[in-house]
């Protein structure tokens, strides 16, 4: 059942002549099946819960049970299980693993719960549920920060910034602008602790791109509220997106999409076209992947592509 849920080797795309053609993504199917097999191996051999239906509790010797480390070992298995489920986009399963930690104070479990709630929001079709899940995600991310302790938790800063950016969209233009400064602060804090996380560099690139790409009327709004516009250029955004790609090539279709957008703004149209194609051809696994795939399709269609089977 899992393999059927994970592997979708094709995507229907509507062409301008009204016909429906099947765009097969064999590479994407292989990647999903490989991820599924990896997840199943990990969950069968190294997990501490039964939330997925096939997780097993490894036998612990008496000395291990008596040395005070059993709880720590169990938490590590919960983390591993949640991360594995997230990596293959089994969001509800991951949520079932993590939701019991919502009342706790472990920042490692709380930021993971924030990440999953963020995805549940994206997946929900009900507007009220989308908003509720995103605000719940912010609550968990904030709680993770509040319990950070002496050792910095860069993931808590990263996910607080990401979720705060989404939440601010519900609260009006002025609040969205105000919160954007907080978003940048926490992204930079995360990078101060761990400068090798591709997703954080990508998120910071989106921040720079958003301000560099502001239309004139929004520039006027920002100046009216805050006196000036934060310094941000397309070159700043490009640096962040390229850094993310250097750290982890082809890790996210959205990063390729934004690279293409920046290249377009800088007049590097041939490079942009190749990046739009690369973004379109990436496997579609997450909700964000689907959005990027659709945007890349529309962009390529406007650029004159008619036969998508030959990309």
């Amino acid at each position: 059942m899992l393999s059927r849920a994970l592997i979708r080797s094709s995507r229907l795309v509507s062409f301008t002549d009204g016909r429906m053609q099947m765009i097969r993504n064999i590479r994407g199917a292989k990647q999903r099946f490989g991820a599924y097999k990896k997840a199943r191996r990990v969950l069968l051999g190294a997990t501490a819960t039964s939330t997925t239906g096939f997780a097993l509790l490894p036998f612990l010797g008496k000395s291990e049970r008596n040395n005070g480390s059993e709880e720590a070992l169990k938490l590590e298995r919960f983390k591993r299980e949640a991360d594995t489920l997230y990596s293959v986009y089994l969001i509800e399963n991951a949520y079932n693993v993590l939701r019991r930690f919502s009342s706790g104070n472990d920042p490692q479990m709380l930021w993971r719960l924030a990440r999953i709630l963020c995805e549940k929001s994206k997946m929900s079709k009900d507007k009220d549920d989308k908003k509720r899940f995103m605000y719940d995600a912010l609550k968990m991310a904030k709680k993770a920060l509040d319990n950070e302790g002496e050792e910095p938790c860069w993931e808590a800063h990263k996910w607080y910034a990401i979720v705060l950016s989404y939440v601010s969209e519900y609260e009006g233009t002025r609040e969205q602008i105000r919160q954007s400064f907080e978003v940048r602060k926490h992204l930079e804090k995360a990078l101060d602790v761990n400068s090798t996380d591709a997703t954080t560099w990508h998120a910071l690139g989106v921040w720079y791109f958003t301000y560099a790409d502001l239309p004139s009327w929004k520039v006027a709004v920002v100046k009216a509220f805050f006196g000036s516009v934060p310094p941000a250029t397309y070159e700043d955004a490009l640096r962040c997106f390229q850094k993310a790609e250097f750290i982890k090539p082809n890790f996210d279709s959205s990063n390729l999409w934004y690279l293409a957008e920046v290249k377009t703004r800088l007049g590097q149209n041939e490079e942009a076209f190749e990046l739009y194609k690369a973004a379109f051809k990436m496997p579609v696994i997450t909700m964000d992947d689907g959005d990027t795939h659709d945007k890349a399709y529309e962009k390529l269609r406007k650029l004159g592509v008619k036969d998508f089977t030959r990309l």
Side-chain angles (χ1 to χ4, degrees), residues 4-5 24 40 48 61 63-64 70 83 142 154 189 203 215 230 259 263 271 275 292 299:
R4 288 199 296 272
R24 298 200 174 273
R40 194 172 189 278
S63 61
E64 289 180 292
E70 183 177 353
D83 289 347
K142 179 65 166 59
W154 65 270
K189 175 64 175 177
L259 273 170
K263 294 285 187 179
E271 291 182 48
L275 286 162
T292 300
K299 190 73 174 185

Side-chain angles (χ1 to χ4, degrees), residues 57-118:
L57 178 64
F59 178 77
L60 292 175
K62 184 180 293 185
S63 61
E64 289 180 292
R65 290 196 299 269
N66 293 335
N67 67 6
S69 64
E70 183 177 353
E71 189 63 28
L73 289 171
K74 187 181 291 186
L75 282 174
E76 284 303 313
R77 293 189 183 100
F78 275 121
K79 292 175 190 176
R80 186 182 303 181
E81 182 174 5
D83 289 347
T84 302
L85 290 167
Y86 176 79
S87 72
V88 293
Y89 214 62
L90 293 176
I91 300 303
E92 197 62 37
N93 298 67
Y95 176 66
N96 288 335
V97 172
L98 292 169
R99 62 182 179 177
R100 72 198 70 190
F101 297 101
S102 62
S103 60
N105 296 316
D106 187 331
Q108 291 295 328
M109 308 310 292
L110 291 168
W111 74 255
R112 284 175 168 84
L113 182 54
R115 177 176 67 177
I116 290 299
L117 286 165
C118 181

Side-chain angles (χ1 to χ4, degrees), residues 30 40 63-64 67 71 175 232 234 252 278 284 289 303:
K30 288 180 178 179
R40 194 172 189 278
S63 61
E64 289 180 292
N67 67 6
E71 189 63 28
E175 187 64 14
Y234 292 125
D252 191 334
V284 176
D289 292 340
L303 291 173

Side-chain angles (χ1 to χ4, degrees), residues 261-276:
E261 289 286 275
V262 171
K263 294 285 187 179
T264 297
R265 303 301 193 278
L266 295 175
Q268 300 170 18
N269 294 324
E270 290 185 9
E271 291 182 48
F273 183 73
E274 294 302 316
L275 286 162
Y276 285 128

Side-chain angles (χ1 to χ4, degrees), residues 23-24 57 84 95 127 140 185-186 198 200 204 239 281 301 311:
I23 305 299
R24 298 200 174 273
L57 178 64
T84 302
Y95 176 66
K127 290 183 179 180
M140 292 299 104
K185 182 181 80 173
H186 284 280
T200 311
L204 186 59
R239 172 179 57 85
K281 292 191 288 186
R301 190 172 61 84
L311 286 180

Side-chain angles (χ1 to χ4, degrees), residues 30-272:
K30 288 180 178 179
Q31 288 182 359
R32 290 182 186 211
F33 189 60
Y36 159 71
K37 290 193 294 183
K38 177 183 177 182
R40 194 172 189 278
R41 280 200 307 272
V42 172
L43 293 172
L44 280 171
T47 59
T49 72
S50 59
T51 55
T52 62
F54 47 73
L56 302 175
L57 178 64
F59 178 77
L60 292 175
K62 184 180 293 185
S63 61
E64 289 180 292
R65 290 196 299 269
N66 293 335
N67 67 6
S69 64
E70 183 177 353
E71 189 63 28
L73 289 171
K74 187 181 291 186
L75 282 174
E76 284 303 313
R77 293 189 183 100
F78 275 121
K79 292 175 190 176
R80 186 182 303 181
E81 182 174 5
D83 289 347
T84 302
L85 290 167
Y86 176 79
S87 72
V88 293
Y89 214 62
L90 293 176
I91 300 303
E92 197 62 37
N93 298 67
Y95 176 66
N96 288 335
V97 172
L98 292 169
R99 62 182 179 177
R100 72 198 70 190
F101 297 101
S102 62
S103 60
N105 296 316
D106 187 331
Q108 291 295 328
M109 308 310 292
L110 291 168
W111 74 255
R112 284 175 168 84
L113 182 54
R115 177 176 67 177
I116 290 299
L117 286 165
C118 181
E119 291 303 320
K120 280 176 68 69
S121 173
K122 294 176 185 178
M123 294 170 68
S124 177
K125 295 180 180 180
D126 182 85
K127 290 183 179 180
D128 292 336
D129 284 344
K130 288 179 78 71
K131 183 176 181 179
R132 176 171 58 85
F133 285 136
M134 198 60 77
Y135 274 85
D136 286 347
L138 183 64
K139 180 181 177 181
M140 292 299 104
K142 179 65 166 59
K143 192 175 181 182
L145 286 180
D146 291 342
N147 289 277
E148 188 175 20
E150 294 183 4
E151 184 176 347
C153 181
W154 65 270
E155 300 100 331
H157 288 277
K158 166 186 169 179
W159 282 99
Y160 179 76
I162 290 172
V163 175
L164 180 61
S165 180
Y166 285 118
V167 166
S168 69
E169 295 176 7
Y170 289 104
E171 300 187 347
T173 301
R174 182 169 185 169
E175 187 64 14
Q176 191 172 2
I177 295 168
R178 188 181 72 82
Q179 295 290 12
S180 71
F181 298 100
E182 192 78 359
V183 168
R184 177 181 171 180
K185 182 181 80 173
H186 284 280
L187 289 174
E188 290 177 339
K189 175 64 175 177
L191 289 171
D192 284 343
V193 180
N194 179 13
S195 62
T196 62
D197 182 67
T199 303
T200 311
W201 280 109
H202 168 75
L204 186 59
V206 173
W207 190 95
Y208 278 118
F209 180 84
T210 300
Y211 273 104
D213 208 47
L214 282 179
S216 57
W217 71 269
K218 282 194 175 181
V219 171
V221 170
V222 175
K223 287 182 177 179
F225 287 153
F226 300 99
S228 63
V229 179
T233 66
Y234 292 125
E235 287 78 10
D236 292 328
L238 180 63
R239 172 179 57 85
C240 293
F241 296 137
Q242 288 179 331
K243 180 73 172 180
E245 207 63 31
F246 175 78
I247 292 169
K248 195 173 183 180
N250 296 322
F251 75 102
D252 191 334
S253 60
S254 181
N255 201 62
L256 296 173
W257 163 264
Y258 273 104
L259 273 170
E261 289 286 275
V262 171
K263 294 285 187 179
T264 297
R265 303 301 193 278
L266 295 175
Q268 300 170 18
N269 294 324
E270 290 185 9
E271 291 182 48

